[in-house]
Amino acid sequence: MDTGLPTTLDPEPRQGAQAIRRALFLLRVLAAGGESGLPLKEVVQATRLSRPTVHRIIHVLMEEGLVEHHERSGRYLIGTQVPELALARPSRSPLLAAADDILRETSQRVGDTLFLTVRTGNDTLCVDRRIGSYPIQVLSIAVGARRPLGVSSAGIAILAALPAQESRRIAATNEPRFAGYRTNRQTVLSEIADARRRGYGVREVGLVQGTKSISTWIKTAGGDPAAALTVSAVRTRLGPRREQEVVETLLKAAYEVEQKIR
Amino acid sequence: MDTGLPTTLDPEPRQGAQAIRRALFLLRVLAAGGESGLPLKEVVQATRLSRPTVHRIIHVLMEEGLVEHHERSGRYLIGTQVPELALARPSRSPLLAAADDILRETSQRVGDTLFLTVRTGNDTLCVDRRIGSYPIQVLSIAVGARRPLGVSSAGIAILAALPAQESRRIAATNEPRFAGYRTNRQTVLSEIADARRRGYGVREVGLVQGTKSISTWIKTAGGDPAAALTVSAVRTRLGPRREQEVVETLLKAAYEVEQKIR
DNA sequence: ATCCGGTGTCCATAATGTGGACAATAACCG
DNA sequence: CGGTTATTGTCCACATTATGGACACCGGAT
């Protein structure tokens, strides 16, 4: 049992900015709300901050234009300032560039929808999507979709590729947000363990009813997970037999991307 | 004399978030640094905060991934998290959509480079650019370019379209940043006055040597300036005679955009 | 060796941000 | 309708947090 002391390298200290960190965390939670946003209550829950604090911070962010308040629904959402700030970084990420061709090929070969998902803080973020040729496609997850690490197969894959200690930490941090996705810390941890054993992540019961997803991870030269590559399809299309085929294709594609980004 | 009570509508107070506001201001200053970023020193100057404060905030923003530190140059710049947050707002702004066709037509008619610039906080932000047919084009200003309101003709136009009180306030706020653009508050104020009289903004000595710019403003239904429409060209191409022609075209285009966004 | 401009760090102190408690508002219902 | 509940908004005494003056470091110029 340790007493809560300096762990390894850079245990991310640097204090004197509680408020700023909270505000940014709030922004990320709101980002998860996407275009439709979230009611205050949900932000409070996901955040574990007191309601007055959340309220105050959100309103400051509103005055600053980073958050907007939808009158009719009373929901809060990411404001226009954010994309404006983003214009300062016009260049495309190396990952997206590297993955472009490979995604195209792989999606053709597989026939089902392919997703490229990165980790951002304690969330997963879908950054690219390719639609396959098969007539039934899982389209419910859009580019920009963001969810807590652990609730999607991509999240499981990324957590599995992280050091055990960190994945546990993240699972604990995200715990309050799991409820909204009908899962919990126990399940997540065992899914991660399964994924480590198998070499890829699976979610039999996808976020969308009747779908199934398979994810492999892509690591950087340094060994950190850079992204996950996911195939989603209606469950019946991913029986044990085809699961093996798809996994092989995914692993190969992931490997190719890894080579390209080094 | 009142005792400090509800004034009019929203006098924008809401306190209890100094640190957050400072952090956001910092982000905007960094955004102005674009892809190459800024050294700490310049951020401190533009910001008028103490160096330790800037340092601390920037480093927290780094830990949070909103800011990056370029090793070689030591400069700080907007990090990858920002575009990631922006994905939560995939929809294109109504302004951009409305202006699209009009920009295309106008740019063909005029032949010189056309810019669409919005106000964001105390800055101008170039959100669209169309290159004309004339062989010499002013291309130095890219989409995403951001500068303090007041240093470009677009900024002058937008300030001219604001209530006098607010434009004065902004000119005062931005004063510390003017030095870097070889202008000052006096000049800016008189340029605004000229623009109000004439009905459009001009900068004889553009940010780029030997260029000249003319800007008209676009107002929302509420009367607030929504954007500026700018033509930039080598100075010799915008003599008094042609200035009149271009202004007429711009005013017409601005009017059409105004109609579309209501 | 010394200076110098810039960057990074420390810590006593005051001002800032916090959250419990209360108020307003809206929606639902017997 | 008055009553009940669920959610959002506001207030303010207080302690925690963020502040900035002072000091340390680092690399390059002289």
Side-chain angles (χ1 to χ4, degrees):
Chain A
M1 257 111 270
D2 79 31
T3 32
L5 315 155
T7 28
T8 33
L9 285 158
D10 245 315
E12 300 216 18
R14 197 155 243 112
Q15 42 153 276
Q18 189 194 70
I20 295 170
R21 274 191 221 280
R22 288 178 167 186
L24 298 179
F25 184 41
L26 258 172
L27 272 183
R28 285 191 272 264
V29 169
L30 284 177
E35 285 179 276
S36 55
L38 296 173
L40 190 68
K41 190 198 169 193
E42 284 184 32
V43 181
V44 171
Q45 278 167 356
T47 256
R48 290 203 165 164
L49 295 170
S50 74
R51 211 170 35 67
T53 297
V54 171
H55 183 266
R56 178 167 29 81
I57 294 178
I58 279 197
H59 274 83
V60 173
L61 292 174
M62 278 174 60
E63 282 176 16
E64 298 287 337
L66 300 211
V67 168
E68 280 168 25
H69 190 206
H70 193 239
E71 272 312 328
R72 299 199 80 70
S73 64
R75 286 160 162 255
Y76 294 94
L77 45 90
I78 293 288
T80 53
Q81 287 262 340
V82 176
E84 288 173 357
L85 284 171
L87 281 176
R89 276 217 143 224
S91 53
R92 215 178 180 213
S93 93
L95 174 70
L96 272 162
D100 192 53
D101 294 339
I102 298 167
L103 280 175
R104 188 175 315 111
E105 280 173 37
T106 313
S107 115
Q108 262 168 18
R109 176 149 358 137
V110 174
D112 291 297
T113 312
L114 217 63
F115 300 93
L116 186 69
T117 308
V118 299
R119 170 186 174 193
T120 172
N122 296 325
D123 293 346
T124 54
L125 178 69
C126 173
V127 293
D128 205 346
R129 178 179 81 173
R130 301 302 166 96
I131 295 167
S133 52
Y134 187 72
I136 304 178
Q137 293 283 315
V138 175
L139 294 182
S140 42
I141 288 127
V143 170
R146 173 189 290 254
R147 40 178 70 82
L149 269 164
V151 306
S152 64
S153 75
I156 296 295
I158 288 172
L159 287 170
L162 282 167
Q165 191 184 333
E166 199 174 352
S167 64
R168 258 183 279 116
R169 215 210 65 231
I170 295 173
T173 310
N174 281 347
E175 192 163 15
R177 300 160 74 201
F178 286 158
Y181 299 90
R182 283 190 256 116
T183 186
N184 58 64
R185 189 149 70 101
Q186 275 313 313
T187 314
V188 169
L189 289 175
S190 84
E191 282 171 336
I192 295 172
D194 288 352
R196 285 219 180 87
R197 204 168 336 102
R198 264 197 299 249
Y200 58 91
V202 182
R203 264 215 120 195
E204 289 287 344
V205 38
L207 295 167
V208 188
Q209 279 293 352
T211 67
K212 174 172 172 176
S213 305
I214 302 176
S215 298
T216 59
W217 49 79
I218 296 169
K219 289 191 173 190
T220 66
D224 304 315
L229 201 55
T230 306
V231 165
S232 282
V234 288
R235 176 137 13 114
T236 49
R237 230 174 105 77
L238 284 174
R241 182 71 183 280
R242 203 169 115 81
E243 175 170 329
Q244 272 318 307
E245 283 172 38
V246 167
V247 165
E248 270 172 46
T249 316
L250 281 186
L251 286 172
K252 206 160 145 193
Y255 177 75
E256 284 172 34
V257 176
E258 280 181 357
Q259 292 311 310
K260 268 213 192 175
I261 58 175
R262 313 221 150 165
Chain B
M1 252 110 268
D2 78 31
T3 32
L5 315 156
T7 25
T8 33
L9 286 159
D10 248 317
E12 300 217 17
R14 195 157 244 108
Q15 41 152 278
Q18 190 195 70
I20 295 170
R21 274 191 220 279
R22 287 177 167 188
L24 298 178
F25 184 41
L26 245 158
L27 271 183
R28 285 191 273 264
V29 169
L30 283 177
E35 283 180 276
S36 55
L38 296 173
L40 190 68
K41 190 197 170 193
E42 285 184 31
V43 181
V44 171
Q45 279 168 354
T47 256
R48 289 204 165 161
L49 296 171
S50 73
R51 210 169 37 68
T53 298
V54 171
H55 183 265
R56 178 166 28 82
I57 294 178
I58 280 198
H59 274 81
V60 172
L61 292 174
M62 278 174 62
E63 282 176 17
E64 298 287 337
L66 299 213
V67 168
E68 279 166 27
H69 191 206
H70 193 240
E71 271 312 327
R72 299 199 79 71
S73 64
R75 286 159 162 256
Y76 295 94
L77 45 88
I78 293 288
T80 53
Q81 288 263 339
V82 176
E84 287 172 358
L85 284 170
L87 281 176
R89 277 217 142 226
S91 52
R92 218 185 180 205
S93 93
L95 174 70
L96 273 163
D100 192 52
D101 293 340
I102 298 166
L103 280 175
R104 187 175 318 111
E105 279 172 38
T106 312
S107 115
Q108 262 167 19
R109 176 149 359 139
V110 174
D112 292 297
T113 311
L114 217 63
F115 299 93
L116 186 69
T117 309
V118 299
R119 169 185 175 193
T120 172
N122 296 325
D123 294 346
T124 54
L125 177 69
C126 173
V127 293
D128 204 346
R129 177 179 84 173
R130 302 301 167 97
I131 295 167
S133 51
Y134 187 73
I136 304 177
Q137 293 283 315
V138 175
L139 294 181
S140 43
I141 287 125
V143 170
R146 173 189 289 256
R147 43 179 67 82
L149 269 164
V151 306
S152 64
S153 74
I156 296 295
I158 288 172
L159 286 171
L162 282 167
Q165 191 184 332
E166 200 174 352
S167 64
R168 256 183 279 116
R169 214 209 66 232
I170 294 173
T173 310
N174 281 347
E175 191 163 15
R177 300 161 74 202
F178 285 158
Y181 299 90
R182 282 190 257 115
T183 185
N184 58 64
R185 191 149 70 101
Q186 274 314 313
T187 314
V188 169
L189 289 176
S190 85
E191 282 171 336
I192 296 173
D194 288 353
R196 285 221 180 85
R197 204 168 336 102
R198 266 197 297 251
Y200 58 92
V202 182
R203 264 216 122 192
E204 288 288 344
V205 37
L207 295 166
V208 188
Q209 279 294 350
T211 67
K212 174 171 172 177
S213 304
I214 302 175
S215 298
T216 58
W217 50 80
I218 297 169
K219 289 191 173 190
T220 66
D224 304 314
L229 200 56
T230 305
V231 166
S232 281
V234 288
R235 174 135 17 111
T236 49
R237 230 174 105 76
L238 283 174
R241 181 68 184 281
R242 202 168 117 80
E243 176 169 328
Q244 271 318 306
E245 282 173 38
V246 167
V247 165
E248 270 173 45
T249 316
L250 282 186
L251 286 171
K252 205 160 148 195
Y255 177 76
E256 285 173 34
V257 176
E258 280 181 358
Q259 293 310 309
K260 269 212 191 177
I261 59 174
R262 314 222 148 161

